[in-house]
Amino acid sequence: DVQLVQSGAEVRKPGESLRISCQGSGFFFTSYWIAWVRQKPGRGLEWMGVIFPYDSDVKYSPSFEGRVTFSVDKSINTAYLHWSSLEAADTAIYFCARTERIVVRPPAMGASDIWGLGTPVTVSS
Amino acid sequence: QSALTQPASVSGSPGQSISISCTGTSADVGDSDLVSWYQQQPVKAPRLLIYDVIKRPSGVPLRFSASKSGSTASLTISGLQAEDEAVYFCASYTNRNTVVFGGGTRVTVL
C-alpha cells in the first residue's frame, strides 16, 4: 500500500525542541516532494513547505522560514519536521503529504495525493 | 502571502448541485495550472479531489468537477449526498515557488 506513516502525538513545554517524522512506503520516496502542512485547532490548512528527498532540496513558506527545519533520511524513506524552540502558537496537527514534483525550472509543486494521518503537537507550560 | 478566498459555508439539499469558489490573484490561481481541491472530513486527513485545475484522481466520484476562470477556481458537487458533508479546501501553486491554501468551505447537506 502507498502510505505515509507519521509519528505519534507529542506534548512539550515552550522553549523545548521537537522532531516529528513521516515515513513513506509503497512508492519511490525520492521521486516526490514531501510537504508539511499545519492545521491549528478548528482552523484551515497552512502550507509550511516541501523537501525533495532525492537531494534534500527544500522550499519553505515565508511564514515558516527560520522557525522550522525540514530534513530527510532517504535510506529509511523518512522525512522530519524539527523545531529548536517551541511556542504555544505551534500547537496544531501537522500533516505530511506526498506531493507531485513538476519538472520545470525551478521545480514546482503539484497536488498532494497521499497524506499522513497527522501528528498532534501540544505546547503548553 | 494571503490565503485564497473561499466562502465560509455552503449548503444544499440532497440531489442538488452546489459550487464553491476560490479566488486568488494573478500571482497564484490566475497564473497557475496547478490548482487542486481537497476534502477534509472531521478528524481525518485531507483527501485529494481535483488536481491540475480540472482532473479527477481515480476513485473520486464523477459528481465532483472543477473549473477556472481568471483568478477564480470553482468546485462543483452535482447530486449532493449526505457523505459530502465536509470542509473543502482549494490550493494553488504561486509564482513565488510556494503553495497557498484557501481558508476552507464547510459544506452542509440539509
Side-chain angles (χ1 to χ4, degrees), chain A residues 37 39 44-47 59 62 95 102 106-109 111-113 115-116, chain B residues 1 34 36 38 40 44-46 48 51-52 89 93 96-99 101 103:
Chain A
V37 176
Q39 188 168 37
L45 304 175
E46 299 174 88
W47 189 82
K59 180 65 180 180
F95 295 99
I102 310 298
M109 301 91 191
S112 298
D113 64 341
W115 292 69
Chain B
Q1 61 208 53
L34 300 175
S36 51
Y38 301 87
Q40 188 179 31
K44 287 198 167 183
L48 177 65
Y51 67 101
D52 296 355
F89 295 92
Y93 180 68
R96 296 192 191 94
N97 194 217
T98 62
V99 171
F101 281 101

PDB file of all heavy atoms in Angstrom, chain A residues 37 39 44-47 59 62 95 102 106-109 111-113 115-116, chain B residues 1 34 36 38 40 44-46 48 51-52 89 93 96-99 101 103:
ATOM      1  N   VAL A  37       2.188  20.397   6.303  1.00  0.00           N
ATOM      2  CA  VAL A  37       1.016  21.264   6.363  1.00  0.00           C
ATOM      3  C   VAL A  37       0.554  21.359   7.818  1.00  0.00           C
ATOM      4  O   VAL A  37       0.432  20.333   8.493  1.00  0.00           O
ATOM      5  CB  VAL A  37      -0.119  20.696   5.479  1.00  0.00           C
ATOM      6  CG1 VAL A  37      -1.384  21.541   5.620  1.00  0.00           C
ATOM      7  CG2 VAL A  37       0.328  20.629   4.019  1.00  0.00           C
ATOM      8  N   GLN A  39      -2.296  22.506  10.684  1.00  0.00           N
ATOM      9  CA  GLN A  39      -3.704  22.801  10.915  1.00  0.00           C
ATOM     10  C   GLN A  39      -3.915  23.064  12.400  1.00  0.00           C
ATOM     11  O   GLN A  39      -3.887  22.150  13.221  1.00  0.00           O
ATOM     12  CB  GLN A  39      -4.618  21.669  10.437  1.00  0.00           C
ATOM     13  CG  GLN A  39      -6.099  22.049  10.501  1.00  0.00           C
ATOM     14  CD  GLN A  39      -6.978  21.073   9.764  1.00  0.00           C
ATOM     15  OE1 GLN A  39      -6.755  19.862   9.767  1.00  0.00           O
ATOM     16  NE2 GLN A  39      -8.006  21.599   9.086  1.00  0.00           N
ATOM     17  N   GLY A  44      -7.987  26.282   9.243  1.00  0.00           N
ATOM     18  CA  GLY A  44      -7.706  25.747   7.916  1.00  0.00           C
ATOM     19  C   GLY A  44      -6.310  25.172   7.790  1.00  0.00           C
ATOM     20  O   GLY A  44      -5.563  25.056   8.770  1.00  0.00           O
ATOM     21  N   LEU A  45      -5.973  24.817   6.560  1.00  0.00           N
ATOM     22  CA  LEU A  45      -4.672  24.235   6.254  1.00  0.00           C
ATOM     23  C   LEU A  45      -3.670  25.335   5.906  1.00  0.00           C
ATOM     24  O   LEU A  45      -4.003  26.278   5.181  1.00  0.00           O
ATOM     25  CB  LEU A  45      -4.795  23.271   5.070  1.00  0.00           C
ATOM     26  CG  LEU A  45      -5.811  22.150   5.208  1.00  0.00           C
ATOM     27  CD1 LEU A  45      -5.911  21.357   3.914  1.00  0.00           C
ATOM     28  CD2 LEU A  45      -5.453  21.232   6.372  1.00  0.00           C
ATOM     29  N   GLU A  46      -2.463  25.189   6.398  1.00  0.00           N
ATOM     30  CA  GLU A  46      -1.392  26.147   6.103  1.00  0.00           C
ATOM     31  C   GLU A  46      -0.202  25.384   5.522  1.00  0.00           C
ATOM     32  O   GLU A  46       0.323  24.468   6.174  1.00  0.00           O
ATOM     33  CB  GLU A  46      -0.938  26.875   7.355  1.00  0.00           C
ATOM     34  CG  GLU A  46      -2.011  27.699   8.048  1.00  0.00           C
ATOM     35  CD  GLU A  46      -1.497  28.261   9.354  1.00  0.00           C
ATOM     36  OE1 GLU A  46      -0.899  29.361   9.355  1.00  0.00           O
ATOM     37  OE2 GLU A  46      -1.680  27.587  10.387  1.00  0.00           O
ATOM     38  N   TRP A  47       0.241  25.769   4.355  1.00  0.00           N
ATOM     39  CA  TRP A  47       1.363  25.115   3.699  1.00  0.00           C
ATOM     40  C   TRP A  47       2.659  25.627   4.304  1.00  0.00           C
ATOM     41  O   TRP A  47       2.934  26.834   4.299  1.00  0.00           O
ATOM     42  CB  TRP A  47       1.323  25.436   2.214  1.00  0.00           C
ATOM     43  CG  TRP A  47       2.271  24.694   1.352  1.00  0.00           C
ATOM     44  CD1 TRP A  47       2.105  23.440   0.864  1.00  0.00           C
ATOM     45  CD2 TRP A  47       3.521  25.166   0.840  1.00  0.00           C
ATOM     46  NE1 TRP A  47       3.188  23.092   0.073  1.00  0.00           N
ATOM     47  CE2 TRP A  47       4.076  24.139   0.045  1.00  0.00           C
ATOM     48  CE3 TRP A  47       4.240  26.356   0.977  1.00  0.00           C
ATOM     49  CZ2 TRP A  47       5.293  24.262  -0.615  1.00  0.00           C
ATOM     50  CZ3 TRP A  47       5.449  26.501   0.320  1.00  0.00           C
ATOM     51  CH2 TRP A  47       5.967  25.452  -0.467  1.00  0.00           C
ATOM     52  N   LYS A  59      12.066  24.005   0.143  1.00  0.00           N
ATOM     53  CA  LYS A  59      11.419  25.289  -0.076  1.00  0.00           C
ATOM     54  C   LYS A  59      10.472  25.521   1.085  1.00  0.00           C
ATOM     55  O   LYS A  59       9.583  24.711   1.337  1.00  0.00           O
ATOM     56  CB  LYS A  59      10.635  25.288  -1.393  1.00  0.00           C
ATOM     57  CG  LYS A  59       9.935  26.601  -1.684  1.00  0.00           C
ATOM     58  CD  LYS A  59      10.902  27.730  -1.902  1.00  0.00           C
ATOM     59  CE  LYS A  59      10.178  29.034  -2.191  1.00  0.00           C
ATOM     60  NZ  LYS A  59      11.113  30.164  -2.400  1.00  0.00           N
ATOM     61  N   PRO A  62       7.288  31.526   3.357  1.00  0.00           N
ATOM     62  CA  PRO A  62       7.841  32.668   4.095  1.00  0.00           C
ATOM     63  C   PRO A  62       7.331  32.733   5.535  1.00  0.00           C
ATOM     64  O   PRO A  62       8.050  33.216   6.424  1.00  0.00           O
ATOM     65  CB  PRO A  62       7.367  33.876   3.279  1.00  0.00           C
ATOM     66  CG  PRO A  62       7.165  33.354   1.904  1.00  0.00           C
ATOM     67  CD  PRO A  62       6.689  31.931   2.066  1.00  0.00           C
ATOM     68  N   PHE A  95       0.507  17.640   9.248  1.00  0.00           N
ATOM     69  CA  PHE A  95       0.374  16.592   8.245  1.00  0.00           C
ATOM     70  C   PHE A  95       1.589  16.606   7.321  1.00  0.00           C
ATOM     71  O   PHE A  95       2.102  17.674   6.971  1.00  0.00           O
ATOM     72  CB  PHE A  95      -0.866  16.820   7.377  1.00  0.00           C
ATOM     73  CG  PHE A  95      -2.176  16.717   8.080  1.00  0.00           C
ATOM     74  CD1 PHE A  95      -2.857  17.851   8.493  1.00  0.00           C
ATOM     75  CD2 PHE A  95      -2.759  15.475   8.322  1.00  0.00           C
ATOM     76  CE1 PHE A  95      -4.078  17.762   9.136  1.00  0.00           C
ATOM     77  CE2 PHE A  95      -3.988  15.372   8.969  1.00  0.00           C
ATOM     78  CZ  PHE A  95      -4.642  16.521   9.365  1.00  0.00           C
ATOM     79  N   ILE A 102       6.834  18.856 -10.214  1.00  0.00           N
ATOM     80  CA  ILE A 102       6.701  19.232 -11.621  1.00  0.00           C
ATOM     81  C   ILE A 102       8.071  19.652 -12.117  1.00  0.00           C
ATOM     82  O   ILE A 102       8.683  20.597 -11.592  1.00  0.00           O
ATOM     83  CB  ILE A 102       5.703  20.401 -11.791  1.00  0.00           C
ATOM     84  CG1 ILE A 102       4.395  20.100 -11.062  1.00  0.00           C
ATOM     85  CG2 ILE A 102       5.481  20.695 -13.268  1.00  0.00           C
ATOM     86  CD1 ILE A 102       3.650  18.904 -11.559  1.00  0.00           C
ATOM     87  N   PRO A 106      12.160  26.914 -11.648  1.00  0.00           N
ATOM     88  CA  PRO A 106      12.530  25.889 -10.664  1.00  0.00           C
ATOM     89  C   PRO A 106      11.447  24.818 -10.568  1.00  0.00           C
ATOM     90  O   PRO A 106      10.306  25.059 -10.967  1.00  0.00           O
ATOM     91  CB  PRO A 106      12.620  26.695  -9.369  1.00  0.00           C
ATOM     92  CG  PRO A 106      11.614  27.776  -9.545  1.00  0.00           C
ATOM     93  CD  PRO A 106      11.659  28.142 -11.008  1.00  0.00           C
ATOM     94  N   PRO A 107      11.769  23.656 -10.032  1.00  0.00           N
ATOM     95  CA  PRO A 107      10.763  22.600  -9.902  1.00  0.00           C
ATOM     96  C   PRO A 107       9.564  23.097  -9.099  1.00  0.00           C
ATOM     97  O   PRO A 107       9.713  23.767  -8.076  1.00  0.00           O
ATOM     98  CB  PRO A 107      11.507  21.489  -9.156  1.00  0.00           C
ATOM     99  CG  PRO A 107      12.942  21.722  -9.483  1.00  0.00           C
ATOM    100  CD  PRO A 107      13.083  23.218  -9.555  1.00  0.00           C
ATOM    101  N   ALA A 108       8.384  22.769  -9.601  1.00  0.00           N
ATOM    102  CA  ALA A 108       7.161  23.277  -8.992  1.00  0.00           C
ATOM    103  C   ALA A 108       6.472  22.183  -8.184  1.00  0.00           C
ATOM    104  O   ALA A 108       6.826  21.009  -8.254  1.00  0.00           O
ATOM    105  CB  ALA A 108       6.229  23.809 -10.072  1.00  0.00           C
ATOM    106  N   MET A 109       5.482  22.605  -7.431  1.00  0.00           N
ATOM    107  CA  MET A 109       4.734  21.684  -6.575  1.00  0.00           C
ATOM    108  C   MET A 109       3.332  21.476  -7.133  1.00  0.00           C
ATOM    109  O   MET A 109       2.559  22.445  -7.253  1.00  0.00           O
ATOM    110  CB  MET A 109       4.619  22.223  -5.142  1.00  0.00           C
ATOM    111  CG  MET A 109       5.957  22.466  -4.472  1.00  0.00           C
ATOM    112  SD  MET A 109       6.454  24.182  -4.794  1.00  0.00           S
ATOM    113  CE  MET A 109       8.156  24.179  -4.230  1.00  0.00           C
ATOM    114  N   ALA A 111      -0.154  18.678  -6.975  1.00  0.00           N
ATOM    115  CA  ALA A 111      -1.102  18.292  -5.937  1.00  0.00           C
ATOM    116  C   ALA A 111      -0.505  17.284  -4.960  1.00  0.00           C
ATOM    117  O   ALA A 111       0.445  16.570  -5.279  1.00  0.00           O
ATOM    118  CB  ALA A 111      -2.348  17.697  -6.585  1.00  0.00           C
ATOM    119  N   SER A 112      -1.088  17.239  -3.777  1.00  0.00           N
ATOM    120  CA  SER A 112      -0.688  16.293  -2.732  1.00  0.00           C
ATOM    121  C   SER A 112      -1.708  15.175  -2.687  1.00  0.00           C
ATOM    122  O   SER A 112      -2.848  15.404  -2.286  1.00  0.00           O
ATOM    123  CB  SER A 112      -0.603  17.006  -1.387  1.00  0.00           C
ATOM    124  OG  SER A 112       0.374  18.022  -1.413  1.00  0.00           O
ATOM    125  N   ASP A 113      -1.294  13.977  -3.112  1.00  0.00           N
ATOM    126  CA  ASP A 113      -2.276  12.908  -3.279  1.00  0.00           C
ATOM    127  C   ASP A 113      -2.295  11.877  -2.169  1.00  0.00           C
ATOM    128  O   ASP A 113      -3.271  11.127  -2.047  1.00  0.00           O
ATOM    129  CB  ASP A 113      -2.080  12.216  -4.633  1.00  0.00           C
ATOM    130  CG  ASP A 113      -0.737  11.505  -4.745  1.00  0.00           C
ATOM    131  OD1 ASP A 113       0.187  11.827  -3.959  1.00  0.00           O
ATOM    132  OD2 ASP A 113      -0.612  10.633  -5.620  1.00  0.00           O
ATOM    133  N   TRP A 115      -1.654  11.502   2.017  1.00  0.00           N
ATOM    134  CA  TRP A 115      -1.463  12.254   3.256  1.00  0.00           C
ATOM    135  C   TRP A 115      -1.244  11.301   4.420  1.00  0.00           C
ATOM    136  O   TRP A 115      -1.868  10.229   4.484  1.00  0.00           O
ATOM    137  CB  TRP A 115      -2.693  13.117   3.540  1.00  0.00           C
ATOM    138  CG  TRP A 115      -2.888  14.241   2.581  1.00  0.00           C
ATOM    139  CD1 TRP A 115      -3.232  14.140   1.257  1.00  0.00           C
ATOM    140  CD2 TRP A 115      -2.768  15.636   2.854  1.00  0.00           C
ATOM    141  NE1 TRP A 115      -3.319  15.397   0.697  1.00  0.00           N
ATOM    142  CE2 TRP A 115      -3.050  16.336   1.658  1.00  0.00           C
ATOM    143  CE3 TRP A 115      -2.449  16.373   4.001  1.00  0.00           C
ATOM    144  CZ2 TRP A 115      -3.016  17.729   1.570  1.00  0.00           C
ATOM    145  CZ3 TRP A 115      -2.428  17.761   3.919  1.00  0.00           C
ATOM    146  CH2 TRP A 115      -2.698  18.422   2.711  1.00  0.00           C
ATOM    147  N   GLY A 116      -0.402  11.705   5.346  1.00  0.00           N
ATOM    148  CA  GLY A 116      -0.339  11.014   6.611  1.00  0.00           C
ATOM    149  C   GLY A 116      -1.555  11.362   7.461  1.00  0.00           C
ATOM    150  O   GLY A 116      -2.331  12.259   7.109  1.00  0.00           O
TER     151      GLY A 116
ATOM    152  N   GLN B   1       2.170  35.403   2.374  1.00  0.00           N
ATOM    153  CA  GLN B   1       1.165  35.569   1.319  1.00  0.00           C
ATOM    154  C   GLN B   1      -0.221  35.213   1.852  1.00  0.00           C
ATOM    155  O   GLN B   1      -0.360  34.389   2.742  1.00  0.00           O
ATOM    156  CB  GLN B   1       1.520  34.689   0.127  1.00  0.00           C
ATOM    157  CG  GLN B   1       1.555  33.208   0.459  1.00  0.00           C
ATOM    158  CD  GLN B   1       2.517  32.469  -0.454  1.00  0.00           C
ATOM    159  OE1 GLN B   1       3.682  32.833  -0.586  1.00  0.00           O
ATOM    160  NE2 GLN B   1       2.041  31.420  -1.072  1.00  0.00           N
ATOM    161  N   LEU B  34      -1.765  24.615 -11.721  1.00  0.00           N
ATOM    162  CA  LEU B  34      -1.584  23.686 -10.586  1.00  0.00           C
ATOM    163  C   LEU B  34      -2.510  24.096  -9.453  1.00  0.00           C
ATOM    164  O   LEU B  34      -2.076  24.486  -8.370  1.00  0.00           O
ATOM    165  CB  LEU B  34      -0.112  23.677 -10.152  1.00  0.00           C
ATOM    166  CG  LEU B  34       0.875  23.242 -11.234  1.00  0.00           C
ATOM    167  CD1 LEU B  34       2.314  23.381 -10.735  1.00  0.00           C
ATOM    168  CD2 LEU B  34       0.606  21.805 -11.680  1.00  0.00           C
ATOM    169  N   SER B  36      -5.609  22.740  -7.044  1.00  0.00           N
ATOM    170  CA  SER B  36      -6.150  21.480  -6.554  1.00  0.00           C
ATOM    171  C   SER B  36      -7.216  21.745  -5.502  1.00  0.00           C
ATOM    172  O   SER B  36      -7.324  22.848  -4.956  1.00  0.00           O
ATOM    173  CB  SER B  36      -5.036  20.591  -5.993  1.00  0.00           C
ATOM    174  OG  SER B  36      -4.232  21.293  -5.070  1.00  0.00           O
ATOM    175  N   TYR B  38      -9.289  19.778  -2.081  1.00  0.00           N
ATOM    176  CA  TYR B  38      -9.214  18.725  -1.074  1.00  0.00           C
ATOM    177  C   TYR B  38     -10.494  18.707  -0.252  1.00  0.00           C
ATOM    178  O   TYR B  38     -11.091  19.750   0.010  1.00  0.00           O
ATOM    179  CB  TYR B  38      -8.017  18.957  -0.146  1.00  0.00           C
ATOM    180  CG  TYR B  38      -6.707  19.001  -0.894  1.00  0.00           C
ATOM    181  CD1 TYR B  38      -6.233  20.189  -1.434  1.00  0.00           C
ATOM    182  CD2 TYR B  38      -5.965  17.842  -1.101  1.00  0.00           C
ATOM    183  CE1 TYR B  38      -5.054  20.231  -2.163  1.00  0.00           C
ATOM    184  CE2 TYR B  38      -4.783  17.874  -1.817  1.00  0.00           C
ATOM    185  CZ  TYR B  38      -4.340  19.070  -2.355  1.00  0.00           C
ATOM    186  OH  TYR B  38      -3.184  19.100  -3.071  1.00  0.00           O
ATOM    187  N   GLN B  40     -11.903  17.469   3.470  1.00  0.00           N
ATOM    188  CA  GLN B  40     -11.489  17.017   4.790  1.00  0.00           C
ATOM    189  C   GLN B  40     -12.719  16.768   5.644  1.00  0.00           C
ATOM    190  O   GLN B  40     -13.477  17.689   5.943  1.00  0.00           O
ATOM    191  CB  GLN B  40     -10.562  18.022   5.471  1.00  0.00           C
ATOM    192  CG  GLN B  40      -9.968  17.471   6.770  1.00  0.00           C
ATOM    193  CD  GLN B  40      -9.026  18.418   7.457  1.00  0.00           C
ATOM    194  OE1 GLN B  40      -9.171  19.638   7.378  1.00  0.00           O
ATOM    195  NE2 GLN B  40      -8.020  17.881   8.154  1.00  0.00           N
ATOM    196  N   LYS B  44     -10.061  13.814  10.188  1.00  0.00           N
ATOM    197  CA  LYS B  44      -9.394  12.998   9.173  1.00  0.00           C
ATOM    198  C   LYS B  44      -8.378  13.844   8.421  1.00  0.00           C
ATOM    199  O   LYS B  44      -8.395  15.070   8.468  1.00  0.00           O
ATOM    200  CB  LYS B  44     -10.416  12.419   8.189  1.00  0.00           C
ATOM    201  CG  LYS B  44     -11.267  11.306   8.765  1.00  0.00           C
ATOM    202  CD  LYS B  44     -11.917  10.511   7.638  1.00  0.00           C
ATOM    203  CE  LYS B  44     -12.507   9.225   8.165  1.00  0.00           C
ATOM    204  NZ  LYS B  44     -13.076   8.389   7.093  1.00  0.00           N
ATOM    205  N   ALA B  45      -7.506  13.161   7.701  1.00  0.00           N
ATOM    206  CA  ALA B  45      -6.571  13.867   6.836  1.00  0.00           C
ATOM    207  C   ALA B  45      -7.293  14.346   5.581  1.00  0.00           C
ATOM    208  O   ALA B  45      -8.315  13.768   5.177  1.00  0.00           O
ATOM    209  CB  ALA B  45      -5.421  12.932   6.451  1.00  0.00           C
ATOM    210  N   PRO B  46      -6.812  15.389   4.949  1.00  0.00           N
ATOM    211  CA  PRO B  46      -7.390  15.820   3.673  1.00  0.00           C
ATOM    212  C   PRO B  46      -7.276  14.728   2.620  1.00  0.00           C
ATOM    213  O   PRO B  46      -6.378  13.888   2.643  1.00  0.00           O
ATOM    214  CB  PRO B  46      -6.548  17.040   3.302  1.00  0.00           C
ATOM    215  CG  PRO B  46      -6.013  17.547   4.599  1.00  0.00           C
ATOM    216  CD  PRO B  46      -5.762  16.312   5.422  1.00  0.00           C
ATOM    217  N   LEU B  48      -7.401  14.267  -1.671  1.00  0.00           N
ATOM    218  CA  LEU B  48      -7.333  14.977  -2.951  1.00  0.00           C
ATOM    219  C   LEU B  48      -8.560  14.651  -3.807  1.00  0.00           C
ATOM    220  O   LEU B  48      -8.858  13.485  -4.060  1.00  0.00           O
ATOM    221  CB  LEU B  48      -6.059  14.573  -3.696  1.00  0.00           C
ATOM    222  CG  LEU B  48      -5.868  15.180  -5.088  1.00  0.00           C
ATOM    223  CD1 LEU B  48      -5.699  16.694  -4.993  1.00  0.00           C
ATOM    224  CD2 LEU B  48      -4.656  14.544  -5.784  1.00  0.00           C
ATOM    225  N   TYR B  51      -7.010  17.803  -9.239  1.00  0.00           N
ATOM    226  CA  TYR B  51      -5.660  18.332  -9.434  1.00  0.00           C
ATOM    227  C   TYR B  51      -5.551  18.924 -10.836  1.00  0.00           C
ATOM    228  O   TYR B  51      -6.384  18.652 -11.708  1.00  0.00           O
ATOM    229  CB  TYR B  51      -4.603  17.248  -9.195  1.00  0.00           C
ATOM    230  CG  TYR B  51      -4.605  16.121 -10.214  1.00  0.00           C
ATOM    231  CD1 TYR B  51      -3.667  16.098 -11.245  1.00  0.00           C
ATOM    232  CD2 TYR B  51      -5.528  15.086 -10.128  1.00  0.00           C
ATOM    233  CE1 TYR B  51      -3.655  15.074 -12.169  1.00  0.00           C
ATOM    234  CE2 TYR B  51      -5.529  14.057 -11.052  1.00  0.00           C
ATOM    235  CZ  TYR B  51      -4.580  14.052 -12.078  1.00  0.00           C
ATOM    236  OH  TYR B  51      -4.574  13.032 -13.001  1.00  0.00           O
ATOM    237  N   ASP B  52      -4.533  19.736 -11.021  1.00  0.00           N
ATOM    238  CA  ASP B  52      -4.317  20.396 -12.325  1.00  0.00           C
ATOM    239  C   ASP B  52      -5.607  21.053 -12.829  1.00  0.00           C
ATOM    240  O   ASP B  52      -5.998  20.907 -13.996  1.00  0.00           O
ATOM    241  CB  ASP B  52      -3.790  19.394 -13.364  1.00  0.00           C
ATOM    242  CG  ASP B  52      -2.419  18.849 -13.011  1.00  0.00           C
ATOM    243  OD1 ASP B  52      -1.831  19.313 -12.017  1.00  0.00           O
ATOM    244  OD2 ASP B  52      -1.938  17.955 -13.724  1.00  0.00           O
ATOM    245  N   PHE B  89     -11.103  22.515   0.723  1.00  0.00           N
ATOM    246  CA  PHE B  89     -10.018  23.483   0.588  1.00  0.00           C
ATOM    247  C   PHE B  89      -9.519  23.500  -0.856  1.00  0.00           C
ATOM    248  O   PHE B  89      -9.341  22.454  -1.465  1.00  0.00           O
ATOM    249  CB  PHE B  89      -8.828  23.117   1.472  1.00  0.00           C
ATOM    250  CG  PHE B  89      -9.106  23.163   2.944  1.00  0.00           C
ATOM    251  CD1 PHE B  89      -9.525  22.024   3.620  1.00  0.00           C
ATOM    252  CD2 PHE B  89      -8.927  24.335   3.666  1.00  0.00           C
ATOM    253  CE1 PHE B  89      -9.771  22.057   4.992  1.00  0.00           C
ATOM    254  CE2 PHE B  89      -9.164  24.384   5.030  1.00  0.00           C
ATOM    255  CZ  PHE B  89      -9.598  23.235   5.697  1.00  0.00           C
ATOM    256  N   TYR B  93      -0.453  26.585  -6.684  1.00  0.00           N
ATOM    257  CA  TYR B  93       0.962  26.916  -6.804  1.00  0.00           C
ATOM    258  C   TYR B  93       1.039  28.421  -7.084  1.00  0.00           C
ATOM    259  O   TYR B  93       0.144  28.995  -7.711  1.00  0.00           O
ATOM    260  CB  TYR B  93       1.581  26.116  -7.949  1.00  0.00           C
ATOM    261  CG  TYR B  93       3.044  26.375  -8.175  1.00  0.00           C
ATOM    262  CD1 TYR B  93       3.989  25.975  -7.246  1.00  0.00           C
ATOM    263  CD2 TYR B  93       3.484  27.033  -9.320  1.00  0.00           C
ATOM    264  CE1 TYR B  93       5.338  26.205  -7.458  1.00  0.00           C
ATOM    265  CE2 TYR B  93       4.833  27.254  -9.542  1.00  0.00           C
ATOM    266  CZ  TYR B  93       5.751  26.850  -8.607  1.00  0.00           C
ATOM    267  OH  TYR B  93       7.075  27.088  -8.816  1.00  0.00           O
ATOM    268  N   ARG B  96       5.835  32.512  -6.588  1.00  0.00           N
ATOM    269  CA  ARG B  96       6.979  32.575  -5.677  1.00  0.00           C
ATOM    270  C   ARG B  96       7.506  31.176  -5.359  1.00  0.00           C
ATOM    271  O   ARG B  96       8.271  31.006  -4.408  1.00  0.00           O
ATOM    272  CB  ARG B  96       6.585  33.286  -4.385  1.00  0.00           C
ATOM    273  CG  ARG B  96       6.202  34.742  -4.582  1.00  0.00           C
ATOM    274  CD  ARG B  96       6.107  35.447  -3.230  1.00  0.00           C
ATOM    275  NE  ARG B  96       5.501  36.768  -3.353  1.00  0.00           N
ATOM    276  CZ  ARG B  96       4.207  36.993  -3.171  1.00  0.00           C
ATOM    277  NH1 ARG B  96       3.393  36.033  -2.837  1.00  0.00           N
ATOM    278  NH2 ARG B  96       3.730  38.210  -3.308  1.00  0.00           N
ATOM    279  N   ASN B  97       7.061  30.198  -6.143  1.00  0.00           N
ATOM    280  CA  ASN B  97       7.508  28.814  -5.950  1.00  0.00           C
ATOM    281  C   ASN B  97       7.070  28.283  -4.586  1.00  0.00           C
ATOM    282  O   ASN B  97       7.833  27.600  -3.896  1.00  0.00           O
ATOM    283  CB  ASN B  97       9.031  28.721  -6.119  1.00  0.00           C
ATOM    284  CG  ASN B  97       9.535  27.298  -6.278  1.00  0.00           C
ATOM    285  OD1 ASN B  97      10.607  26.932  -5.787  1.00  0.00           O
ATOM    286  ND2 ASN B  97       8.771  26.442  -6.955  1.00  0.00           N
ATOM    287  N   THR B  98       5.841  28.636  -4.202  1.00  0.00           N
ATOM    288  CA  THR B  98       5.243  28.125  -2.970  1.00  0.00           C
ATOM    289  C   THR B  98       3.821  27.664  -3.303  1.00  0.00           C
ATOM    290  O   THR B  98       3.381  27.745  -4.449  1.00  0.00           O
ATOM    291  CB  THR B  98       5.175  29.208  -1.877  1.00  0.00           C
ATOM    292  OG1 THR B  98       4.342  30.292  -2.345  1.00  0.00           O
ATOM    293  CG2 THR B  98       6.552  29.757  -1.521  1.00  0.00           C
ATOM    294  N   VAL B  99       3.133  27.185  -2.302  1.00  0.00           N
ATOM    295  CA  VAL B  99       1.728  26.791  -2.443  1.00  0.00           C
ATOM    296  C   VAL B  99       0.921  27.562  -1.403  1.00  0.00           C
ATOM    297  O   VAL B  99       1.395  27.801  -0.281  1.00  0.00           O
ATOM    298  CB  VAL B  99       1.559  25.271  -2.227  1.00  0.00           C
ATOM    299  CG1 VAL B  99       0.085  24.885  -2.154  1.00  0.00           C
ATOM    300  CG2 VAL B  99       2.253  24.505  -3.346  1.00  0.00           C
ATOM    301  N   PHE B 101      -3.066  27.751   0.365  1.00  0.00           N
ATOM    302  CA  PHE B 101      -4.379  27.137   0.520  1.00  0.00           C
ATOM    303  C   PHE B 101      -5.456  28.201   0.643  1.00  0.00           C
ATOM    304  O   PHE B 101      -5.183  29.337   1.048  1.00  0.00           O
ATOM    305  CB  PHE B 101      -4.427  26.277   1.792  1.00  0.00           C
ATOM    306  CG  PHE B 101      -3.788  24.932   1.662  1.00  0.00           C
ATOM    307  CD1 PHE B 101      -2.506  24.693   2.164  1.00  0.00           C
ATOM    308  CD2 PHE B 101      -4.454  23.871   1.068  1.00  0.00           C
ATOM    309  CE1 PHE B 101      -1.915  23.445   2.057  1.00  0.00           C
ATOM    310  CE2 PHE B 101      -3.870  22.618   0.956  1.00  0.00           C
ATOM    311  CZ  PHE B 101      -2.591  22.407   1.452  1.00  0.00           C
ATOM    312  N   GLY B 103      -9.061  29.294   2.646  1.00  0.00           N
ATOM    313  CA  GLY B 103      -9.431  29.236   4.044  1.00  0.00           C
ATOM    314  C   GLY B 103     -10.360  28.080   4.392  1.00  0.00           C
ATOM    315  O   GLY B 103     -10.538  27.764   5.572  1.00  0.00           O
TER     316      GLY B 103
END
